[in-house]
Every structure is written in C-alpha cells, then in structure tokens.
Amino acid sequence: MGNSVKPLSAFFNLISQFIPLLLTFALAATSYWFAIQSELSLFSASGKSDPTSSDYYLRNFSVQSHDLAENKYSIIRSNAAEHIPQGNVWNITAPELEQFESGNGMVKGNAQKGVYLLDTDEIFLRDNVVVTSQNEGLLTTMKSEEIRIDNITNEISTDKNVLVTRPGQRFEAQGATLNNDTGELTAQGSIKFRIEAKR
C-alpha cells in the first residue's frame, strides 16, 4: 500500500507544479474569447437591420445618367442625401436637377427637399419647388409645393396648387401635367388663366 501511495503523491506533486500554469492558460483563453465576442458585438449589426431606416448618408451628393439611345443626360446634385433600402430611395436635401435632351429639350428644377426613386426613375421635389422646361424654344415654368418628374414617361406633374407661366400666359390650377416630349400642358381642377399682351 505504501508503494501505491508514493506514485500517486508524486503524480499530485507534479500536477500541483503545473496548476498555476494551467490556470493562467485557462484565464488567458477565457479573456481572449470575451474580448473577441465584445469586439464582434461592437462592429456587427445588432439584430436584423430595419429596411425603412437609412443605411448610409452622403454629403455633396451627385448622380449622373446618360441615355445614349435617346440622347439624354441628367444630373441631380445636393448638399446631402440618405439612402433608404426599402424601395431603393434617396432622400435629398436641397436638390438641384438638370436634364438635357437632343432638340434643345431641357429641364431644370430645385426645391428644399426631394425624393429620388431609383427603381421607377422618378423624382419628387418638395417645398418651394420651381421647375422650368424648355422644349423647342417654349419655356414653361411650374411653381408648387410638390412636383413629380417621371423620367420614363417624360412627364412633369403635380396634384397640388400650381402656378404655370409661359411667354404671354399665366395660370393657377389645382394640378397640372406637362408632357415634356410634346409640350402639351393639361390642368386639373378650377383654373385662373391670364393672357399677357407683349409690349
């Protein structure tokens, strides 16, 4: 019995010399694991991201498009813009818009706010909106609180109160649509129309 106790006590003596080293290794490994987990939680998205909230923000925002088939060029500029993933939308601060087409077609617009829907290629200008369209020498100016520019149908429209001026003409309506291809202008609701004589 004395012989079996001696190897057992020798074994415990040997292990007791390594226990502080084993504890140090276990504490170091645990500390490393906690450090990695806290770093991952700091830099990863917590939970599922909200598709209705902004995923990034840009200063000095600018987007240009060129349609070589239809010979169109457009640019939208602003001080800042934020992208919303749901609907692929840009919320734009103080947007300025310029579009140029062959045949002297040109559209310029500005407002305090804007929304650019990338998937449908529509721009909604809001708050103190001024849009001018020049088509074959005819200048049309529209002023409203909201104006929609549809680049697919090439229409400029609003269903809000609008003031429209053309050389020698001026009218106010509860909405209007300008077909930028043909220059045809239609008004909705009651209209106050004034023809101005040239001097």
Side-chain angles (χ1 to χ4, degrees), residues 76 115-124 148-153:
I76 302 170
V115 175
Y116 181 31
L117 306 176
L118 288 167
D119 294 342
T120 58
D121 201 11
E122 294 174 283
I123 303 157
F124 289 86
R148 174 180 154 263
I149 300 171
D150 187 333
N151 292 315
I152 303 294
T153 62

Side-chain angles (χ1 to χ4, degrees), residues 62-173:
S62 167
V63 62
Q64 298 180 33
S65 67
H66 303 270
D67 186 341
L68 298 176
E70 295 189 26
N71 202 13
K72 290 183 180 179
Y73 167 76
S74 69
I75 184 168
I76 302 170
R77 290 185 289 272
S78 77
N79 298 334
E82 67 175 353
H83 182 259
I84 307 295
Q86 183 172 331
N88 202 10
V89 174
W90 282 100
N91 289 327
I92 307 169
T93 306
E96 294 177 4
L97 163 78
E98 293 181 51
Q99 296 178 332
F100 303 95
E101 295 181 41
S102 62
N104 291 332
M106 179 176 66
V107 175
K108 290 186 177 185
N110 59 58
Q112 290 180 353
K113 297 177 192 170
V115 175
Y116 181 31
L117 306 176
L118 288 167
D119 294 342
T120 58
D121 201 11
E122 294 174 283
I123 303 157
F124 289 86
L125 300 175
R126 296 188 173 117
D127 298 339
N128 299 321
V129 182
V130 178
V131 174
T132 59
S133 170
Q134 185 166 350
N135 191 347
E136 297 181 15
L138 179 61
L139 181 66
T140 305
T141 302
M142 299 174 73
K143 295 180 182 180
S144 183
E145 284 304 303
E146 180 176 291
I147 293 179
R148 174 180 154 263
I149 300 171
D150 187 333
N151 292 315
I152 303 294
T153 62
N154 214 13
E155 289 184 338
I156 302 168
S157 63
T158 183
D159 58 0
K160 309 285 185 210
N161 290 337
V162 61
L163 170 65
V164 179
T165 57
R166 283 182 161 174
Q169 303 173 0
R170 172 189 169 103
F171 74 84
E172 295 178 40

Side-chain angles (χ1 to χ4, degrees), residues 4-32:
S4 64
V5 173
K6 200 170 194 181
L8 191 58
S9 69
F11 176 72
F12 282 120
N13 282 338
L14 184 62
I15 289 181
S16 66
Q17 292 175 4
F18 290 107
I19 286 178
L21 183 60
L22 290 173
L23 286 176
T24 304
F25 175 73
L27 285 173
T30 306
S31 297
Y32 176 76

